[in-house]
Amino acid sequence: MCTTRRFTLAALALSISSFNAAAATPNDTAPLGKLPRWAQPLAYQLDLRVDPQQSAYSGSATIDLELKQAADHLWLHGQDLSVGKVSLADSANHVHAAQYKVAAKKEGVATVEFGQTLPAGRYRMTLEYSAPFNQQLEGVYKVSSQGAPYVITQMEAISARYAFPGFDEPSFKTPFTLSLTVPESQVAVANTRQVAEQKLDKGWRKLSFAATKPLPTYLVAFAVGPWDVVGGPQIPATQWRAHATPLRGIAPHGEGERIKPALAQTPAIITALEDYFGLGYPFDKVDLLGAPDFAAGAMENPGLVTFRDYLMLQDANSPAQNVRSAFNINAHELAHQWFGDTVTMPWWDDLWLNEAFATWMQAKITQQLHPEYRADLGLISGANYAMQSDSLVSVRKIRQPITGNGDIGTAFDSITYEKGAAVLNMFERYLGADTFRQGVRAYIKQHQFASATADDLVSALAKASGKDQRFVKAMQSFLDQAGVPLVGTALSMENGKAVLHLKQQRYLPLGSSGDAQRLWGIPVCVRYSIAGGDARTQCELLDQAQGKMELPGATAGSWYMPNADAAGYYRFDMARDDLARLTSNLAQLPDTEQLAYADAVNAGFGRGDLDAAAVLAAAPRLAQSNTREVATALIPTLRWLAKYEVRSDAQRNRLTDLARTMYLPRLQQLGYQRRAGESQDDALLRAALAQFLALDVKLPEVRQALLLQGDKALEKNADGKLDLAAANPDLLRAVLSVAAQEQGTPAVDVLIKALGSTSEPAQRMAILSGLGAATASASAQRARNLALDPLVKVGEMSTLLRASREDGEGREALWKWFTLNHEQLIKRSGETSGGRLPDLVAGDSCSQSEADRLSAFFQPLLGQLPGADRGLAQTREKTLLCTALREKQDPAAILR
Ligand SMILES: [Zn+2]
């Protein structure tokens, strides 16, 4: 629905004085993208009455605003809101009645009509409204934990419009003053400290919170429920912040104790971030909240950071993976308090300024506080992961233009996060860490509590480093252009000097329809050996199709690594002899470069340059590394071979034997149970190896060992519940998956029953993975149906469905189930998650017919599901690339 206005032609003069009532009304239509600038919010006051026991809430939104020109209406956002009385008070306090009308229902655009032309100037607009608690984890939503209802918010990206009428666009940053009227039994928290409490009649009380610093709508947050509130250690004053800052944990009732580990690590993270930015933590308190159901992993609301429960609620029995993620994600969200919350992108095409920076900074802080977590390797693995997506023709750019609300939803992808972080890492290395930090500090200082774009950042970095347009263009070439550069290298001796010849093109996998001709400004850094066994590094900005680089001291027999420290966001393709020399010196390379080498093998296989035999030859070299990330770096390609390429018993035996030789002794050495005092990394390696050996290559001895734990875990203990703690928590997912596959229906039935009585989030995820993995069981259909059952939370649906598409049989069954149930599935998860739907139900497909049926099914739905067009294009392209790679394989290669 769309209201058009066609009175007088707009004068569009920006110099209209405040009381020039004769000026014309803008002649415009409902804005589906950015709102027009002639009406701007200055401050909000939200007074809401919230009772989690109800199904809706009500209240008022009072917005101080400025009309920059005379108008008889304004545009704003509101979705699924029932707005009643609307009034506008002018600066003389004359109150004008106005009317709220929905203008574009699907996009959540509305208009307020004044019934007359009002002059430019300042107004206070008050809208009384009510709204249902959202069922799809957006806006103000309701979930239950152990039978008790809770209300939580999630506004990013554009869900504040479900929560209150307003200008739901990140460039509009204003203070928000919130009051919550709640039943006396309920605890309420918000972005800022509570400043007043007023007892009301009939068991209600009104809590008022301090005005926030200027915030965009997507960062407004509050929560109401029977929360446990746990005091944490104060964050002591620092040279950047004169006062100690209070820290609290907010957990579902009875879970308060389990949020303490996360609280304990928080002050050190905040202090490390302050030291980097040279700016004190900018908000008045830190609350970390563990939400019983949540759409994403966590959300950086200033002062009230919300996390999915499994990240915040931990104890000695939590999976090592969750403990590790909890630290990383806490560091990520706290980095956002500066990147995103203090300085905000004006529009969603610059979302990377939030997410790439937080991802990159999270690694930096983690490396500083927990060097044993090897966040340096995490950053590289993340980049290698993003390169897979970045090889698609249908991929986004880091700064992808936004053409509709679907593009806002799909912007939260590996390109924005991991590629963005890798590009920052590359240019940090190019400029030097100190210079880079100087630029970042200047950028934050200049734009604090306001907005800034990519250009602002790049120019701050250029200024700090004294670099010219060549640097600016180089950085822009990665931000405004999709794809992974492939740098070809060949070393030759010329007049007694070692010269490395370079050329660049776009990396394209086998079967791609993309154009390889593309130019970036790539900071290429090469490490190479010189006589005497030492190594040197040489860097060059490669911004032409070809280039060369002298390697002083290198000889004809020198080895070189084309991506020193793996800091560059590019892949490489070495001359054959050069690669052979590098391979024989692999053990001398640092872990970072061994990961770059592994990526080169994966990439060469994806491009069709290397066959299965070459991958199987490279795998044992890497597998013997003592570093978990390196030892497991080729597992994705080995998994691909096991999944798509193994067609005969001989092939299966070859792959199984190789996997057994490479990894089983290691797993046996680690054992299947945790050992006292072992490192977290050992626990993670055990889990990765058990998962691969038991579920991907199906090694009988590993499955048997896990099954023993499964039998115990599925036994009922005295109070009739399963004894899930009998299994190693790090292996519980794999244990329940193997048990469900081996035992079939009886195990599936027991697990379904256990879902109703298990509230521990990590155990629930393991149960859902187990249920999803039981694709061959007669009860598999019942398991899939749970995705539509309230027993499974909305945020848990994807864990269940994803686990059920691991093998071909499961994919077929899932697809059939989806085509019959898609309407209910979309209804439950919400249309705005439609962008992820094609991958969720058809990811890992690998045939032309699967690609075709996917397109045929989703094409008619594209108008309904924002973002599904990109989701469909990417899933289809991945399917076709997989098909091409599969068809190219020589069945004999795996046996060589
Ligand atoms: Zn983030």
Side-chain angles (χ1 to χ4, degrees):
M1 194 165 100
C2 190
T3 351
T4 51
R5 323 214 132 248
R6 66 196 92 68
F7 303 110
T8 47
L9 275 175
L12 290 181
L14 295 173
S15 56
I16 302 166
S17 77
S18 288
F19 294 98
N20 185 354
T25 281
N27 175 15
D28 56 2
T29 56
L32 302 184
K34 291 182 190 174
L35 292 171
R37 304 287 111 172
W38 47 266
Q40 295 197 5
L42 304 169
Y44 288 73
Q45 188 171 326
L46 301 176
D47 295 295
L48 305 178
R49 187 180 177 90
V50 177
D51 178 0
Q53 297 287 352
Q54 309 293 316
S55 58
Y57 65 102
S58 60
S60 64
T62 300
I63 310 175
D64 291 342
L65 58 90
E66 180 165 11
L67 291 182
K68 300 267 185 191
Q69 62 186 73
D72 67 356
H73 72 286
L74 58 77
W75 300 105
L76 77 174
H77 294 111
Q79 201 151 8
D80 292 354
L81 306 176
S82 302
V83 178
K85 198 174 149 205
V86 184
S87 63
L88 256 90
D90 60 26
S91 46
N93 219 10
H94 291 134
V95 178
H96 311 269
Q99 209 181 357
Y100 173 96
K101 286 185 181 169
V102 172
K105 187 174 189 314
K106 202 171 166 52
E107 287 81 6
V109 180
T111 181
V112 170
E113 295 181 348
F114 309 151
Q116 60 181 308
T117 298
L118 294 175
R122 292 192 169 196
Y123 294 86
R124 171 164 288 187
M125 177 168 71
T126 302
L127 305 99
E128 290 172 13
Y129 74 102
S130 64
F133 291 127
N134 188 283
Q135 301 295 317
Q136 283 118 13
L137 312 181
E138 297 187 68
V140 182
Y141 69 90
K142 178 172 157 175
V143 291
S144 79
S145 175
Q146 306 196 50
Y150 292 78
V151 165
I152 315 168
T153 59
Q154 170 59 34
M155 308 300 190
E156 196 180 23
I158 50 171
S159 297
R161 60 195 64 182
Y162 290 100
F164 54 88
F167 297 74
D168 190 14
E169 189 182 317
S171 65
F172 295 116
K173 292 182 76 171
T174 77
F176 283 80
T177 308
L178 175 70
S179 79
L180 293 170
T181 300
V182 300
E184 268 174 353
S185 60
Q186 301 289 307
V187 173
V189 289
N191 292 101
T192 51
R193 293 189 205 183
Q194 184 185 315
V195 289
E197 175 175 346
Q198 191 188 345
K199 261 198 176 322
L200 304 173
D201 289 350
K202 295 178 183 159
W204 290 76
R205 55 186 186 140
K206 181 178 178 179
L207 309 177
S208 302
F209 299 90
T212 66
K213 290 266 177 22
L215 296 183
T217 43
Y218 82 86
L219 289 173
V220 173
F222 61 85
V224 181
W227 302 102
D228 281 359
V229 178
V230 182
Q234 284 222 333
I235 305 163
T238 60
Q239 60 165 315
W240 313 110
R241 178 169 39 81
H243 305 286
T245 300
L247 167 67
R248 302 184 303 179
I250 317 294
H253 185 69
E255 302 282 350
E257 193 61 30
R258 302 180 73 211
I259 206 167
K260 287 183 176 170
L263 295 179
Q265 61 193 211
T266 299
I269 298 175
I270 298 261
T271 314
L273 287 163
E274 289 177 323
D275 284 341
Y276 188 87
F277 291 113
L279 179 70
Y281 173 77
F283 306 105
D284 72 358
K285 55 132 177 144
V286 182
D287 284 345
L288 307 182
L289 182 145
D293 197 7
F294 201 72
M299 179 64 208
E300 67 265 26
N301 313 299
L304 177 58
V305 186
T306 45
F307 297 79
R308 228 172 132 170
D309 48 9
Y310 79 92
L311 293 166
M312 279 294 114
L313 309 180
Q314 303 198 336
D315 54 37
N317 289 323
S318 297
Q321 184 58 57
N322 293 4
V323 174
R324 178 73 60 97
S325 301
F327 186 89
N328 288 335
I329 295 178
N330 197 11
H332 177 104
E333 304 308 328
L334 293 174
H336 271 309
Q337 306 298 308
W338 287 261
F339 272 117
D341 297 4
T342 301
V343 180
T344 309
M345 75 278 158
W347 185 235
W348 298 103
D349 55 357
D350 265 328
L351 177 67
W352 77 282
L353 285 172
N354 285 7
E355 299 303 349
F357 257 105
T359 305
W360 167 80
M361 184 54 99
Q362 140 199 354
K364 191 178 267 303
I365 295 300
T366 304
Q367 186 72 7
Q368 189 181 328
L369 298 177
H370 278 289
E372 77 281 12
Y373 285 6
R374 297 304 306 265
D376 56 336
L377 301 182
L379 200 61
I380 296 165
S381 302
N384 294 347
Y385 170 72
M387 285 180 190
Q388 291 299 112
S389 303
D390 209 10
S391 306
L392 301 176
V393 175
S394 53
V395 73
R396 293 174 55 258
K397 304 161 186 169
I398 291 180
R399 297 189 74 229
Q400 181 72 26
I402 304 290
T403 59
N405 286 354
D407 290 332
I408 298 174
T410 53
F412 293 79
D413 70 354
S414 64
I415 298 303
T416 299
Y417 285 70
E418 283 84 7
K419 178 183 179 180
V423 167
L424 290 172
N425 189 45
M426 172 167 68
F427 284 100
E428 181 196 29
R429 183 197 167 101
Y430 181 64
L431 297 183
D434 288 343
T435 306
F436 193 87
R437 185 179 62 179
Q438 236 177 296
V440 169
R441 281 184 170 193
Y443 162 87
I444 293 280
K445 194 166 180 202
Q446 187 181 348
H447 303 286
Q448 58 178 312
F449 305 119
S451 304
T453 63
D455 287 345
D456 294 321
L457 176 79
V458 176
S459 61
L461 294 173
K463 198 172 167 201
S465 60
K467 295 274 182 198
D468 60 10
Q469 277 302 306
R470 200 172 163 215
F471 161 77
V472 170
K473 283 202 178 117
M475 213 165 159
Q476 285 167 343
S477 75
F478 282 89
L479 300 178
D480 296 324
Q481 178 170 254
V484 188
L486 178 69
V487 177
T489 61
L491 186 67
S492 64
M493 296 303 292
E494 293 169 14
N495 303 323
K497 289 177 175 165
V499 178
L500 189 64
H501 292 263
L502 305 167
K503 57 182 185 192
Q504 62 164 306
Q505 57 176 312
R506 181 177 182 184
Y507 171 85
L508 292 174
L510 183 82
S512 172
S513 62
D515 180 2
Q517 255 192 11
R518 195 161 282 193
L519 274 190
W520 286 267
I522 315 167
V524 174
C525 285
V526 176
R527 221 160 57 79
Y528 60 98
S529 66
I530 54 172
D534 286 343
R536 277 190 194 160
T537 303
Q538 188 77 5
C539 298
E540 194 78 58
L541 186 67
L542 176 67
D543 53 7
Q544 304 297 320
Q546 305 204 357
K548 55 183 173 181
M549 183 177 198
E550 202 189 309
L551 303 183
T555 63
S558 288
W559 59 261
Y560 67 91
M561 159 44 76
N563 190 354
D565 298 327
Y569 185 78
Y570 55 88
R571 288 177 150 165
F572 55 83
D573 177 27
M574 302 173 79
R576 182 178 285 267
D577 292 349
D578 298 2
L579 177 62
R581 277 200 305 282
L582 179 67
T583 302
S584 36
N585 289 283
L586 187 62
Q588 296 189 41
L589 301 182
D591 292 332
T592 48
E593 293 177 3
Q594 293 199 31
L595 278 188
Y597 178 90
D599 178 68
V601 174
N602 286 328
F605 180 73
R607 199 160 168 248
D609 297 341
L610 300 179
D611 63 7
V615 174
L616 299 189
R621 282 176 186 277
L622 290 157
Q624 54 187 261
S625 167
N626 287 325
T627 306
R628 175 178 57 87
E629 291 84 345
V630 175
T632 56
L634 286 191
I635 282 186
T637 301
L638 298 175
R639 183 180 290 136
W640 190 92
L641 289 171
K643 202 164 178 172
Y644 302 116
E645 186 44 28
V646 166
R647 291 165 212 193
S648 68
D649 285 347
Q651 286 178 315
R652 175 163 304 118
N653 292 341
R654 162 81 172 110
L655 204 59
T656 312
D657 288 347
L658 182 83
R660 179 184 283 119
T661 316
M662 285 196 306
Y663 293 128
L664 187 60
R666 195 75 171 271
L667 179 59
Q668 286 170 334
Q669 197 187 347
L670 292 164
Y672 291 92
Q673 296 293 350
R674 287 179 170 181
R675 290 173 315 189
E678 73 178 359
S679 72
Q680 198 182 70
D681 224 61
D682 279 351
L684 293 173
L685 181 61
R686 174 187 297 119
L689 296 184
Q691 172 90 16
F692 174 63
L693 293 176
L695 294 167
D696 295 317
V697 293
K698 301 198 163 44
L699 219 55
E701 48 270 59
V702 180
R703 287 176 76 84
Q704 198 51 44
L706 297 187
L707 203 52
L708 281 178
Q709 294 195 17
D711 288 343
K712 285 190 188 142
L714 296 183
E715 250 170 47
K716 286 188 181 145
N717 58 22
D719 57 3
K721 284 188 174 183
L722 296 188
D723 192 14
L724 294 174
N728 178 345
D730 301 317
L731 302 183
L732 189 60
R733 275 183 184 220
V735 162
L736 296 184
S737 299
V738 172
Q741 287 173 352
E742 295 290 334
Q743 298 176 357
T745 300
V748 170
D749 291 348
V750 166
L751 287 175
I752 291 176
K753 216 166 166 203
L755 262 188
S757 59
T758 308
S759 62
E760 208 291 318
Q763 291 185 344
R764 288 184 62 85
M765 282 163 95
I767 292 174
L768 291 166
S769 296
L771 285 170
T775 51
S777 152
S779 290
Q781 187 77 346
R782 275 183 66 209
R784 274 186 293 274
N785 284 338
L786 288 172
L788 305 173
D789 190 306
L791 259 186
V792 170
K793 298 174 186 179
V794 174
E796 292 174 333
M797 294 160 70
S798 63
T799 303
L800 174 70
L801 296 177
R802 201 171 284 278
S804 70
R805 51 163 231 226
E806 277 299 313
D807 58 27
E809 200 178 340
R811 277 208 311 281
E812 282 304 308
L814 175 61
W815 179 257
K816 245 186 231 142
W817 178 88
F818 168 69
T819 54
L820 291 173
N821 295 285
H822 70 279
E823 279 170 8
Q824 293 102 298
L825 186 69
I826 291 168
K827 195 167 168 222
R828 185 150 197 244
S829 58
E831 290 182 349
T832 50
S833 56
R836 290 187 289 275
L837 208 49
D839 175 70
L840 180 63
V841 297
D844 296 330
S845 297
C846 198
S847 67
Q848 180 75 45
S849 60
E850 285 173 296
D852 291 344
R853 74 183 182 190
L854 177 75
S855 299
F857 189 85
F858 270 97
Q859 276 298 341
L861 294 174
L862 296 185
Q864 180 197 343
L865 303 174
D869 50 349
R870 189 173 297 282
L872 169 61
Q874 294 190 345
T875 307
R876 179 180 164 82
E877 189 182 351
K878 274 189 227 167
T879 302
L880 292 175
L881 290 173
C882 180
T883 310
L885 189 61
R886 191 182 200 173
E887 280 168 4
K888 138 110 189 176
Q889 298 305 311
D890 171 6
I894 218 169
L895 298 172
R896 271 202 289 275

